[in-house]
Amino acid sequence: MGRYPAGSPGWRDKVTGQANYGADFSLPGMITGRVLRSPHAHARIVSIDTTEAGKLAGVRAVVTAADFPDLPSEVVAGGESPVNYRYISCNAIARDKVLYEGHAVAAVAAISAGVAEQALKLIRVEYEVLPHVIDVRDAMRDDAPLLHDNLYTEGVDPKPTKPSNIAKRTEFLLGDPAAGFAESEIILERSYTTQPVHQGYIEPHACVASVAADGMTTVWSSSQGQFMVREFCAKLLKIADSDIRVLPAEIGGGFGGKTTVYLEPLAIALSRKSGRPVKMVMSREEVFKASGPTSGGVLQVKLGARRDGTLVAAECELAYQAGAFPGSPAIPGCMTAFACYDIPNARTVGYDVVSNRPKCAAYRAPGAPMAAFAVESALDELALELGMDPVELRLKNAAKEGTRALYGPKMPVIGFVETLEAARAHAHYNTPLKANQGRGIASGFWFNIGGQSSAAVHINEDGTAEVVTGNPDIGGSRASMAIMAAEVLGIDYAKVKPLIGDTASVGYCFLTGGSRVTFATGKAVVEAANDVVQQLRARAAKIWKCEVDEVIWKDGVAHPAQGQTDTRTQLSLAEIAASAARTGGPISGKASLNVGGAGPGFGTHLCDVEVDPETGRVTVLRYTVIQDVGRAIHPGYVEGQMQGGAAQGIGWALNEEYVYDDQGRLQNSGFLDYRMPVASDLPMIDAVLVEVPNPAHPFGVRGVGEVPIVPPLAAVANAVARASGVRVNDLPISPPRLLAALMK
Amino acid sequence: MGRYPAGSPGWRDKVTGQANYGADFSLPGMITGRVLRSPHAHARIVSIDTTEAGKLAGVRAVVTAADFPDLPSEVVAGGESPVNYRYISCNAIARDKVLYEGHAVAAVAAISAGVAEQALKLIRVEYEVLPHVIDVRDAMRDDAPLLHDNLYTEGVDPKPTKPSNIAKRTEFLLGDPAAGFAESEIILERSYTTQPVHQGYIEPHACVASVAADGMTTVWSSSQGQFMVREFCAKLLKIADSDIRVLPAEIGGGFGGKTTVYLEPLAIALSRKSGRPVKMVMSREEVFKASGPTSGGVLQVKLGARRDGTLVAAECELAYQAGAFPGSPAIPGCMTAFACYDIPNARTVGYDVVSNRPKCAAYRAPGAPMAAFAVESALDELALELGMDPVELRLKNAAKEGTRALYGPKMPVIGFVETLEAARAHAHYNTPLKANQGRGIASGFWFNIGGQSSAAVHINEDGTAEVVTGNPDIGGSRASMAIMAAEVLGIDYAKVKPLIGDTASVGYCFLTGGSRVTFATGKAVVEAANDVVQQLRARAAKIWKCEVDEVIWKDGVAHPAQGQTDTRTQLSLAEIAASAARTGGPISGKASLNVGGAGPGFGTHLCDVEVDPETGRVTVLRYTVIQDVGRAIHPGYVEGQMQGGAAQGIGWALNEEYVYDDQGRLQNSGFLDYRMPVASDLPMIDAVLVEVPNPAHPFGVRGVGEVPIVPPLAAVANAVARASGVRVNDLPISPPRLLAALMK
């Protein structure tokens, strides 16, 4: 499908900033909301007095947790991952306690940002400051300050009698690891740590909420799912789904971090109280202090193998920071850790640990990159110890169709071996290195998901088409939707316009995440387009006065079926569209599905670095991402996903971290101090698309967006280790840390 | 269906002005557009020089007709009434000639309204002023100034060889009128005139247009049809349908006058040229000078009857002002004139006449009120001459099911007789009058139409529902849509939220007009809701592991079908919705139809007036609207339609008119001088709902919005004639005119 233009509809507007993002909506009478945030990492809220703030001229509303329903703790909904609405509510606005610096305590709406800021200063909050804990290992200690008095570790036997910061223990087991290690000829055991990293989307969280006189609530916001925003706000504010309409803004990056709500419930509460539309926009400092990031983790890996490289046993124990409320990606960490390999005896144990940091949010392949960092680093050491080529070691143990995964299922058709073979054959892998240079290789896995999606395809009178779905386009999915619809309809891509509907005008779509959109929503688009084709055939049959099955649809044209002796000429989609009123009315197709059969994704990355032995600075010289992409609907955007994931992973590996002072206050809440890679930091990242079509999708699609962030942490670390001879198992491998290691 | 709340969703916001109308949208970087309008009634544009205007600091774009495609004159599209895109284009911005005072000549977009206004003054237009003609009779004269050099009267034989202001002659014939008149025992012949009147919507035309860098065009506007705006703009600017997305604003009144475009094409052209979103809003003066009104007309009626009141023959000749471009409602005038009656021999002849006035637009039952004014006035005189009760005269001749209408079809099930019987039985008709008081009666007919409509019904996870259509809600149609969906689904009305989708997110809907929405779009809603019910049954069957036809849907609950011995309990919609993900995904229904079978509407109005013999002032004392409404889905809104139509008709009868000076310039372009009735001018208008269900609609709906403006002109005139003994056949019956007649 390479005959399509480079950009998704609207790309020019995105590039020039003309697109309308969350902060770009305005309504008459609109006022501005601002949030009062906790200066403490951990404190009890003794009292909040908003009297003076409410009296300030120009202030229209002040809200605190008292304005929100006190949801029961057990409110947990299904979906891709369990959701505890009490936690989301208490994270959006603190109830009783603040659990991290930046935790929202109150919000004000006023006629200007200046007045709102002034009002924040008039809110008197009396805090009882409590001891805090930032790091995961500290938080797991018996004597650690407790964030939640009523949090008892789940998943342990017997049930604990005293509360803990460990929210949950999870274990996955396959075979008999102890026996496996006993028969291993070589055993390698290592510890690793990773730092929390922020998704780093360019656009801060922003929304406008407007509550009508009859309670009907409209929200414009930038998120990864307008239906998610609706559902969460409905639950947090006890509003019926039908009484909230959420209109999606163009989104300036999400990477998982916009799969929950922060400002929207506050803006709704403020609008409801003031009777005015309320706009709220986070500053970058607020983004860092009160949204995202993904967990930092502490991991231990143990590998047992034969001398020929066959993995016999493996164990991984990981503890992930959840931030202030339970919900780290420890479970997917456990599930993905060994998913690339066919290991008969394996166990993963995960701990979900709260500490006085912002509640973690999903971040591209949640939980997987940290686990892969540990496992793929250990594998690299194993390869070195065995004297094996690291690609060969992986090929020897690679998961294939039918491999039983530790977390349960047997692998369907997958393309991991193909990525390893492509890596081995790639010029990158066979280019000599110079002094202080090293080449790292690492692989990675992500499940990819399907789930609920809806789509509608409307045929216009002039033969053009609209394709409507309910998924924000983060990575170019509009282009993919239009391409698939154009293929099914048999018309030119330029005639198909993909659009993202609001929650009221399109059927339900689960959020944009899990690398699901081109796969699952794409399948809904294909079915909706097929629905249209059926109707087009029926219209042609009506015009020709024949049966529908005497009409064939091909290349955008109705033909009489083979064997029909008829001399009737063909009818193009445009011709049928033009006469639609006379043949039964408008032509629209739709589909609503719960899509299964997502094809798991695998990637193998090659990374060359040069280490400056005098400063510890690492320069990425060359980087190649090789990935089984199923079938690339829009190859340009697939490459973009692969490059973007690698870039984020390189930042994670080399520079990104949160720096806290001893009061638990974040010291680097800005892009100058939180060091993400920029274009000049990186080489052109080469993307190799391996296509092993997913048989469960009509076009062979498998998700592509998350896999590429899984391997880079280890690929970089392995490259650094091979370049410098020193292995750093604690991320980020920043110059001071590497220099210290080199000095040792 | 009387158990529903009084208001349509959003009514509170409409009442308080909080709703978002056409002028209420704003976008970052938005600039303001203003229109330069002709000061002349008729002139050739010799040259336009925009150089200085373009140079003014702050001006971002200037457009003239040169920026629009010069469409061929024969571009005429189908739909309810033929559309000539060249005329719409030349009306939106003058090409070569200006044809009325206020005709748009150029448009400017600038960083502020002030700068734009200043720029307009810098545009140099050289005009060659031409003689003009305002009135229809003058325009029809052989020596009249010609508006269009290439306009030859259609519908006459032989084809004319010289151009004319008469665009078209239309004739409808039934039986043999000459023979009918020959056998008549009484013949009455009268002449009438009516003035153009404006639709008088509160909200002026307003829009925002934004053209993205890739050409994708988005328009927010207040109109009677977002699809109409899309189609017209697409044609006028040669853009594909799919490249324009039109989002409907809340509409502050339309009455037919918002069924075309004025500002939208200009705003698009300005946005395209400037690269900025452009907002344009008409002033009230612009609304009067360059939009609406309906035609004024000159009518002649001839009735032939037996002494017993039986109508034997009838003729009506009418000439309607089209304004600057062809397209008056002369044809519906001819079609409706005698539609209330069963007359064996009848003829109507209509003339569509251009003159130097703003191009007329549709106005509630276009063409019918003027024809009814003439026919119903003549009938009143006939009743007086025959000494018959005017209700009895009408009953004797009333159209019934099976009556052959002059314009073609046989009447289906209709309720005209029922309205007359209700009038005769009504207390109003039997209440004595005092001195200077009179009672008028008049009837009226409107076809009502169906046409293309689409609807979608989406079930939310919490068991609430969204009903989406593509028709702006002018008269409360959202409430009707929600009621019908709630009835079909069997759930509470409060759980169903009706919404109006944009052109990209919902299937095609013809515009809101022709009293079609509750009927045709309502039928699409019913079908979409039935589609949902089918799915709900299928989901229940899946849960119960039985066949779909073993599941009955009743009162919002799935029951095992009669005879199923099963003890399975019921499943409510909310329960099925909550488990939708596990039974196949989201539940959404849709329908796209071209709906036939619109039930014609009939009404009979009673009007009591008191005439002040010293001033000629007419006071409406009592007014009763009796109408066959098919089945009133939301009775409150149906009453509102009936009251609103009557109020507009009373204004038409008594006060509204356009006053031109001898230069052809409008002198009363504001609500202070153009006198529409306000609340204090009118009594409470009583509405009597006669329900003769339309068998072609699942709920018996027939259109109700247009019929009530048809009878008032004659009802008022007949009341004045009976109160004063003086009959005024030229509207409006304003104090000076009536006083002059009384003086004679």
Side-chain angles (χ1 to χ4, degrees):
Chain A
M1 297 188 177
R3 61 189 169 84
Y4 298 103
S8 197
W11 70 269
R12 281 194 188 82
D13 276 8
K14 263 192 146 170
V15 168
T16 59
Q18 206 190 327
N20 291 309
Y21 294 94
D24 288 334
F25 293 88
S26 297
L27 293 169
M30 188 172 75
I31 57 179
T32 301
R34 282 287 188 276
V35 179
L36 181 70
R37 297 184 181 278
S38 167
H40 306 295
H42 195 193
R44 194 170 307 283
I45 300 172
V46 179
S47 66
I48 307 180
D49 182 354
T50 64
T51 319
E52 290 304 309
K55 282 185 190 161
L56 184 67
V59 170
R60 292 286 177 271
V62 185
V63 295
T64 66
D67 294 283
F68 293 78
D70 192 356
L71 301 176
S73 178
E74 66 277 11
V75 178
V76 174
E80 285 308 308
S81 51
V83 169
N84 185 318
Y85 291 115
R86 178 173 179 83
Y87 292 154
I88 296 175
S89 176
C90 291
N91 192 39
I93 192 153
R95 189 174 288 277
D96 308 326
K97 277 176 94 177
V98 290
L99 297 170
Y100 54 94
E101 184 214 6
H103 197 165
V105 171
V108 169
I111 53 166
S112 73
V115 173
E117 299 276 3
Q118 211 182 328
L120 293 184
K121 292 182 189 135
L122 297 176
I123 298 174
R124 309 260 167 265
V125 186
E126 192 185 334
Y127 293 105
E128 178 196 337
V129 178
L130 302 170
H132 69 275
V133 58
I134 294 291
D135 280 327
V136 67
R137 266 183 291 221
D138 296 339
M140 292 172 82
R141 288 163 55 152
D142 265 357
D143 60 349
L146 286 180
L147 275 76
H148 303 277
D149 298 337
N150 56 356
L151 186 67
Y152 296 84
T153 309
E154 264 186 78
V156 292
D157 193 26
K159 270 197 162 183
T161 53
K162 62 178 207 128
S164 163
N165 289 327
I166 303 172
K168 189 169 184 168
R169 178 188 184 277
T170 308
E171 181 174 334
F172 291 88
L173 177 66
L174 184 71
D176 183 343
F181 284 114
E183 65 176 89
S184 297
E185 294 163 359
I186 177 168
I187 292 177
L188 185 136
E189 192 164 4
R190 295 288 182 276
S191 294
Y192 303 88
T193 62
T194 71
Q195 291 299 310
V197 292
H198 198 274
Q199 294 82 349
Y201 29 80
I202 296 296
E203 184 198 14
H205 298 268
C207 69
V208 174
S210 180
V211 180
D214 61 3
M216 185 68 202
T217 299
T218 309
V219 177
W220 293 256
S221 85
S222 167
S223 81
Q224 286 177 241
Q226 55 273 45
F227 286 94
M228 172 278 297
V229 173
R230 184 182 72 168
E231 181 185 335
F232 286 13
C233 291
K235 292 293 193 305
L236 264 55
L237 290 149
K238 293 202 170 165
I239 307 173
D241 285 349
S242 59
D243 288 349
I244 306 186
R245 183 184 195 180
V246 182
L247 296 100
E250 195 70 60
I251 177 170
F255 312 108
K258 290 180 182 166
T259 57
T260 189
V261 292
Y262 301 103
L263 298 177
E264 290 90 342
L266 307 182
I268 292 172
L270 288 167
S271 177
R272 194 149 70 172
K273 223 163 170 175
S274 64
R276 303 281 210 100
V278 175
K279 181 185 284 192
M280 299 185 81
V281 183
M282 279 195 193
S283 66
R284 181 60 56 185
E285 184 181 357
E286 288 178 294
V287 169
F288 270 109
K289 289 190 174 173
S291 81
T294 190
S295 307
V298 175
L299 304 100
Q300 278 200 290
V301 172
K302 186 176 173 186
L303 299 177
R306 299 219 180 81
R307 280 279 155 207
D308 68 355
T310 307
L311 291 169
V312 183
E315 277 184 349
C316 177
E317 185 181 287
L318 53 86
Y320 282 2
Q321 297 164 344
F325 298 94
S328 77
I331 296 173
C334 289
M335 293 165 80
T336 57
F338 296 119
C340 286
Y341 306 105
D342 186 356
I343 310 176
N345 308 292
R347 183 204 318 270
T348 51
V349 174
Y351 296 96
D352 179 28
V353 184
V354 297
S355 66
N356 296 114
R357 292 169 170 270
K359 164 76 180 78
C360 77
Y363 180 23
R364 215 168 186 164
M370 307 83 122
F373 166 59
V375 171
E376 296 288 312
S377 292
L379 268 180
D380 197 54
E381 283 202 68
L382 186 66
L384 288 167
E385 286 208 19
L386 292 170
M388 267 184 92
D389 177 276
V391 173
E392 297 304 330
L393 175 62
R394 286 170 173 82
L395 267 171
K396 188 162 198 80
N397 296 286
K400 304 174 189 68
E401 186 180 353
T403 297
R404 166 71 64 191
L406 168 61
Y407 64 89
K410 281 197 176 174
M411 287 291 175
V413 175
I414 55 173
F416 180 40
V417 166
E418 287 79 352
T419 68
L420 289 165
E421 286 170 346
R424 190 171 52 183
H426 197 282
H428 181 170
Y429 198 59
N430 300 290
T431 304
L433 295 163
K434 297 178 183 160
N436 294 321
Q437 297 183 351
R439 176 164 300 140
I441 177 168
S443 295
F445 159 85
W446 185 247
F447 315 93
N448 296 323
I449 63 166
Q452 295 194 89
S453 282
S454 300
V457 175
H458 305 296
I459 303 299
N460 300 320
E461 200 188 6
D462 67 356
T464 57
E466 318 278 345
V467 175
V468 193
T469 69
N471 281 108
D473 173 3
I474 302 185
S477 56
R478 272 172 292 199
S480 301
M481 299 302 134
I483 289 170
M484 288 187 277
E487 287 284 334
V488 175
L489 298 173
I491 61 176
D492 192 64
Y493 169 71
K495 294 201 165 178
V496 181
K497 282 293 164 332
L499 284 132
I500 298 153
D502 63 78
T503 55
S505 61
V506 63
Y508 179 83
C509 289
F510 184 67
L511 52 71
T512 297
S515 299
R516 63 178 292 280
V517 174
T518 303
F519 169 69
T521 307
K523 192 164 177 181
V525 166
V526 169
E527 287 216 4
N530 276 322
D531 182 3
V532 166
V533 167
Q534 280 305 103
Q535 294 177 48
L536 292 166
R537 290 175 59 215
R539 302 299 176 100
K542 196 166 182 180
I543 293 166
W544 290 340
K545 299 184 176 57
C546 69
E547 297 300 313
V548 177
D549 55 14
E550 293 170 33
V551 180
I552 285 173
W553 190 261
K554 208 185 141 205
D555 298 334
V557 176
H559 304 260
Q562 205 88 41
Q564 299 293 313
T565 51
D566 232 296
T567 55
R568 287 178 292 234
T569 49
Q570 305 165 353
L571 279 170
S572 70
L573 184 145
E575 288 165 330
I576 297 172
S579 68
R582 291 187 294 282
T583 58
I587 299 170
S588 290
K590 67 131 193 124
S592 284
L593 311 171
N594 192 350
V595 185
F602 292 84
T604 297
H605 291 201
L606 301 174
C607 173
D608 291 358
V609 300
E610 180 165 320
V611 171
D612 180 343
E614 301 201 352
T615 64
R617 179 191 155 93
V618 174
T619 303
V620 178
L621 300 172
R622 185 170 184 179
Y623 202 101
T624 302
V625 179
I626 302 156
Q627 187 173 324
D628 169 20
V629 299
R631 187 148 173 232
I633 298 299
H634 188 297
Y637 277 121
V638 172
E639 288 178 13
Q641 287 291 330
M642 290 160 70
Q643 292 165 324
Q648 289 188 311
I650 293 167
W652 199 336
L654 289 177
N655 289 101
E656 297 178 43
E657 62 183 318
Y658 278 49
V659 180
Y660 282 90
D661 70 8
D662 58 6
Q663 303 293 309
R665 293 183 178 123
L666 185 61
Q667 299 300 295
N668 60 333
S669 55
F671 278 145
L672 285 177
D673 299 313
Y674 180 91
R675 185 77 174 83
M676 291 178 70
V678 295
S680 57
D681 290 319
L682 298 176
M684 177 63 192
I685 293 170
D686 194 12
V688 178
L689 280 57
V690 174
E691 291 191 307
V692 178
N694 174 9
H697 187 280
F699 287 113
V701 169
R702 54 179 89 227
V704 300
E706 284 168 297
V707 172
I709 202 175
V710 182
L713 287 62
V716 171
N718 293 343
V720 171
R722 286 170 182 257
S724 66
V726 172
R727 191 164 285 269
V728 179
N729 287 344
D730 302 298
L731 297 186
I733 311 172
S734 55
R737 183 167 288 162
L738 180 55
L739 191 60
L742 290 169
M743 293 300 184
K744 257 201 267 183
Chain B
M1 298 185 177
R3 62 190 167 83
Y4 298 105
S8 196
W11 69 269
R12 281 194 187 84
D13 276 7
K14 261 192 149 168
V15 168
T16 59
Q18 205 191 328
N20 292 310
Y21 294 94
D24 289 335
F25 292 88
S26 297
L27 293 170
M30 189 173 74
I31 55 178
T32 301
R34 282 287 188 276
V35 179
L36 182 69
R37 296 184 181 279
S38 167
H40 305 296
H42 196 190
R44 195 171 306 283
I45 299 171
V46 178
S47 66
I48 307 180
D49 181 354
T50 64
T51 318
E52 291 304 310
K55 281 184 191 161
L56 183 66
V59 169
R60 292 286 177 270
V62 186
V63 295
T64 66
D67 294 284
F68 293 79
D70 193 356
L71 301 175
S73 180
E74 67 277 11
V75 177
V76 174
E80 287 307 310
S81 50
V83 169
N84 184 319
Y85 290 116
R86 181 177 177 80
Y87 293 154
I88 297 175
S89 176
C90 291
N91 192 37
I93 193 153
R95 188 175 289 279
D96 308 328
K97 276 176 94 177
V98 290
L99 296 170
Y100 55 94
E101 184 216 7
H103 198 164
V105 172
V108 170
I111 54 166
S112 74
V115 173
E117 300 277 3
Q118 208 182 327
L120 293 185
K121 292 181 189 138
L122 298 176
I123 297 175
R124 309 260 167 266
V125 186
E126 192 184 337
Y127 293 105
E128 177 196 338
V129 178
L130 301 171
H132 69 277
V133 58
I134 294 291
D135 280 328
V136 67
R137 267 184 292 223
D138 297 340
M140 291 172 84
R141 288 163 56 154
D142 265 358
D143 60 349
L146 286 179
L147 274 76
H148 303 277
D149 298 337
N150 55 356
L151 186 67
Y152 296 85
T153 310
E154 264 186 77
V156 291
D157 194 25
K159 270 197 163 183
T161 52
K162 63 179 206 129
S164 163
N165 289 326
I166 303 173
K168 189 169 186 167
R169 179 188 184 277
T170 307
E171 181 175 334
F172 291 88
L173 178 66
L174 184 71
D176 183 343
F181 283 114
E183 66 174 87
S184 297
E185 293 163 359
I186 176 169
I187 292 178
L188 186 137
E189 194 164 3
R190 295 288 182 274
S191 293
Y192 303 87
T193 62
T194 70
Q195 291 299 311
V197 292
H198 198 273
Q199 294 82 350
Y201 29 80
I202 297 295
E203 185 198 13
H205 298 268
C207 69
V208 173
S210 180
V211 180
D214 60 3
M216 184 70 203
T217 298
T218 309
V219 177
W220 294 257
S221 86
S222 167
S223 81
Q224 288 178 239
Q226 56 273 45
F227 285 95
M228 173 279 297
V229 173
R230 184 183 72 170
E231 182 185 336
F232 287 11
C233 291
K235 292 294 194 302
L236 264 56
L237 290 149
K238 293 200 171 167
I239 307 173
D241 286 348
S242 59
D243 288 349
I244 306 187
R245 181 184 196 179
V246 182
L247 296 100
E250 195 70 59
I251 175 169
F255 310 109
K258 291 180 182 165
T259 56
T260 188
V261 292
Y262 301 102
L263 298 177
E264 289 90 341
L266 307 183
I268 293 172
L270 288 168
S271 178
R272 195 150 67 171
K273 223 163 169 175
S274 64
R276 301 280 210 103
V278 175
K279 181 185 284 193
M280 300 186 81
V281 183
M282 280 196 191
S283 67
R284 181 61 55 184
E285 184 181 355
E286 288 179 293
V287 170
F288 270 109
K289 290 190 173 172
S291 81
T294 190
S295 307
V298 175
L299 303 100
Q300 278 201 289
V301 172
K302 186 176 174 187
L303 300 177
R306 299 223 181 80
R307 280 279 156 207
D308 68 355
T310 307
L311 292 168
V312 182
E315 279 185 347
C316 178
E317 186 181 290
L318 54 86
Y320 282 1
Q321 299 162 344
F325 298 94
S328 76
I331 295 174
C334 290
M335 293 166 80
T336 58
F338 297 119
C340 286
Y341 305 106
D342 185 356
I343 310 175
N345 307 292
R347 184 204 317 271
T348 50
V349 174
Y351 296 97
D352 180 29
V353 184
V354 298
S355 66
N356 296 113
R357 291 171 170 270
K359 164 77 180 76
C360 78
Y363 181 21
R364 218 168 182 161
M370 308 82 123
F373 167 58
V375 171
E376 295 288 312
S377 292
L379 268 180
D380 197 54
E381 282 203 69
L382 186 66
L384 287 167
E385 288 210 17
L386 292 171
M388 269 184 90
D389 177 276
V391 173
E392 297 303 330
L393 176 62
R394 285 170 173 82
L395 268 171
K396 191 165 194 78
N397 296 287
K400 302 175 191 69
E401 186 179 354
T403 296
R404 167 71 63 192
L406 168 62
Y407 65 88
K410 281 197 176 174
M411 287 292 175
V413 175
I414 55 173
F416 181 38
V417 166
E418 287 79 352
T419 70
L420 289 164
E421 286 170 345
R424 189 169 55 182
H426 198 280
H428 182 171
Y429 197 59
N430 300 290
T431 304
L433 295 163
K434 297 179 186 161
N436 295 321
Q437 297 182 351
R439 175 165 300 139
I441 178 168
S443 295
F445 160 86
W446 185 247
F447 315 92
N448 298 323
I449 64 166
Q452 295 194 89
S453 282
S454 299
V457 175
H458 305 296
I459 303 298
N460 299 320
E461 200 188 6
D462 67 356
T464 57
E466 319 278 345
V467 175
V468 194
T469 70
N471 282 110
D473 172 4
I474 303 185
S477 56
R478 270 172 294 197
S480 301
M481 300 302 134
I483 289 169
M484 288 187 277
E487 288 284 335
V488 174
L489 298 174
I491 60 174
D492 191 64
Y493 168 71
K495 293 199 166 179
V496 181
K497 282 293 165 327
L499 284 134
I500 298 152
D502 63 78
T503 55
S505 62
V506 63
Y508 179 82
C509 289
F510 184 67
L511 51 72
T512 295
S515 298
R516 63 178 293 278
V517 175
T518 303
F519 169 69
T521 307
K523 192 163 177 180
V525 167
V526 169
E527 287 217 6
N530 276 324
D531 182 2
V532 166
V533 167
Q534 280 305 101
Q535 293 177 48
L536 292 166
R537 290 173 61 214
R539 301 300 176 100
K542 195 164 183 182
I543 293 167
W544 289 340
K545 298 186 176 56
C546 69
E547 296 300 312
V548 178
D549 55 15
E550 293 169 34
V551 180
I552 284 174
W553 191 259
K554 208 184 142 204
D555 298 332
V557 175
H559 304 259
Q562 206 88 40
Q564 298 295 313
T565 51
D566 232 296
T567 56
R568 286 177 294 233
T569 50
Q570 305 164 354
L571 280 170
S572 70
L573 185 145
E575 288 165 331
I576 297 172
S579 67
R582 290 186 294 282
T583 58
I587 298 171
S588 292
K590 69 131 191 121
S592 283
L593 311 170
N594 191 351
V595 185
F602 291 85
T604 296
H605 291 201
L606 300 174
C607 174
D608 292 357
V609 301
E610 181 166 320
V611 171
D612 180 344
E614 302 204 349
T615 63
R617 179 192 156 94
V618 174
T619 304
V620 179
L621 300 172
R622 187 170 182 178
Y623 202 101
T624 302
V625 180
I626 302 157
Q627 186 173 323
D628 171 20
V629 299
R631 185 144 175 235
I633 299 298
H634 188 298
Y637 276 121
V638 171
E639 289 178 13
Q641 288 292 328
M642 291 161 70
Q643 293 165 324
Q648 290 188 311
I650 293 168
W652 199 336
L654 290 176
N655 289 103
E656 296 179 42
E657 63 183 318
Y658 277 50
V659 180
Y660 281 92
D661 72 6
D662 59 5
Q663 303 293 309
R665 293 183 177 124
L666 185 61
Q667 299 299 295
N668 61 335
S669 57
F671 277 145
L672 286 176
D673 299 313
Y674 180 91
R675 183 77 172 84
M676 292 179 70
V678 295
S680 58
D681 291 319
L682 298 176
M684 177 63 193
I685 294 170
D686 194 13
V688 178
L689 280 57
V690 173
E691 291 191 306
V692 178
N694 173 11
H697 187 278
F699 287 112
V701 169
R702 55 180 89 228
V704 300
E706 283 167 299
V707 171
I709 203 174
V710 183
L713 288 59
V716 171
N718 292 344
V720 170
R722 286 170 183 258
S724 65
V726 171
R727 193 166 283 272
V728 180
N729 287 345
D730 302 299
L731 297 186
I733 311 173
S734 55
R737 183 167 287 162
L738 180 55
L739 190 61
L742 289 170
M743 292 300 185
K744 257 201 264 179

